[in-house]
Amino acid sequence: AEEEALLDADPSVLQERQYRFSLAPNTYKFFAGGLGVLNLGGALYLGNILKQYAIYGVKLPSFLGLTQSLYPLLLAYAVLFNVIPVARNAWIGAQNQKIEQRNSARRKWR
């Protein structure tokens, strides 16, 4: 819709294009968001299980011990998987408002 508006606009006025969050279809973005929520929920659930052993100072053996020691990294990944797109979307929204203001000023200047 934005592309059509730019093509239909007066060619003598330079128009900036707004940033897009993603070229992916909305379904893919929805599933990526669902995956992020599921990932965060799973990390928090795992942390709850591991905390039960940590209360008693138990260091789990083998693979579970590795999971226990790497849990802060798993949790950080799950949190950042959700926070980065939200922050990026907010930044893009702010940039698009500035672009729209500049485009509006260009249209008025003509």
Side-chain angles (χ1 to χ4, degrees), residues 31-100:
F31 286 135
L35 179 65
V37 170
L38 185 66
N39 187 10
L40 183 58
L44 293 174
Y45 179 71
L46 178 63
N48 193 21
I49 292 172
L50 293 175
K51 183 171 46 172
Q52 294 173 0
Y53 295 104
I55 289 173
Y56 301 111
V58 174
K59 177 81 170 143
L60 297 173
S62 185
F63 178 73
L64 294 175
L66 179 64
T67 304
Q68 188 178 31
S69 63
L70 292 179
Y71 175 72
L73 295 175
L74 293 172
L75 183 61
Y77 173 79
V79 168
L80 290 174
F81 190 90
N82 290 290
V83 169
I84 289 174
V86 169
R88 183 170 173 253
N89 192 38
W91 182 82
I92 287 174
Q95 295 301 313
N96 284 342
Q97 283 181 344
K98 292 176 186 175
I99 289 171
E100 183 56 37

Side-chain angles (χ1 to χ4, degrees), residues 22-34:
S22 173
L23 297 177
N26 288 335
T27 309
Y28 290 176
K29 291 186 273 189
F30 175 78
F31 286 135

Side-chain angles (χ1 to χ4, degrees), residues 2 6 16-20 92 96-97 99-100 103:
E2 180 188 339
L6 287 175
E16 283 183 80
R17 290 185 180 163
Q18 293 189 347
Y19 291 110
R20 294 181 62 184
I92 287 174
N96 284 342
Q97 283 181 344
I99 289 171
E100 183 56 37
N103 285 341

